Amino acid sequence: MSQIVFVYGSLKRGWALHHLLQSSQFLGPASTQPLYRLFDLGRYPGLVEWPSGLSITGELYQVDADCLAVLDDAEGVAEGYYARREIRLLPPAPPAHAWFWLGPVTGCPDCGDRWPRNTGGSF
């Protein structure tokens, strides 16, 4: 069984964890409905639902169950850092899931609509 996932941080092309998606199909860029915020948590961002949200930019991938388990592990789902759940994307994007940050964001810099803000490259 496969799943479509929306990635917005270190899983994107050119970033530290992208190699975890190498066996997956890249479906293209996508943006969320304006319901979320990205916060800079240091070496990675945290996506949260937010009352004054923005449309976050990212990438869509079709992943298999094995890859999904690897991604959940990389995102610390079992440890309670992130939770994978449905994310609302702008049409015509298909339904997808993303990893939502479960920790506090007080004092963390707001990333705007993308991470990293106005920079590029790898770690």
Side-chain angles (χ1 to χ4, degrees):
M1 184 170 123
S2 67
Q3 170 77 51
I4 296 174
V5 296
F6 174 81
V7 301
Y8 54 84
S10 59
L11 289 168
K12 293 187 303 185
R13 291 174 294 168
W15 291 95
L17 297 181
H18 181 71
H19 67 278
L20 300 176
L21 290 165
Q22 285 182 354
S23 65
S24 301
Q25 181 182 0
F26 174 66
L27 301 177
S31 296
T32 70
Q33 293 192 19
L35 303 170
Y36 311 99
R37 289 292 236 205
L38 279 180
F39 290 92
D40 189 338
L41 305 176
R43 294 179 53 91
Y44 50 87
L47 177 78
V48 295
E49 292 184 62
W50 204 259
S52 56
L54 297 173
S55 179
I56 305 301
T57 62
E59 301 170 352
L60 288 178
Y61 290 86
Q62 181 123 21
V63 301
D64 63 22
D66 290 338
C67 182
L68 200 57
V70 168
L71 296 175
D72 280 347
D73 185 53
E75 296 293 350
V77 170
E79 293 85 358
Y81 298 124
Y82 286 86
R84 178 173 36 91
R85 61 180 188 254
E86 190 171 335
I87 189 161
R88 294 178 59 193
L89 301 175
L90 293 174
H97 283 80
W99 288 268
F100 288 80
W101 175 245
L102 299 176
V105 294
T106 304
C108 296
D110 190 317
C111 295
D113 68 347
R114 69 191 70 227
W115 182 89
R117 186 93 178 146
N118 297 324
T119 62
S122 299
F123 293 114

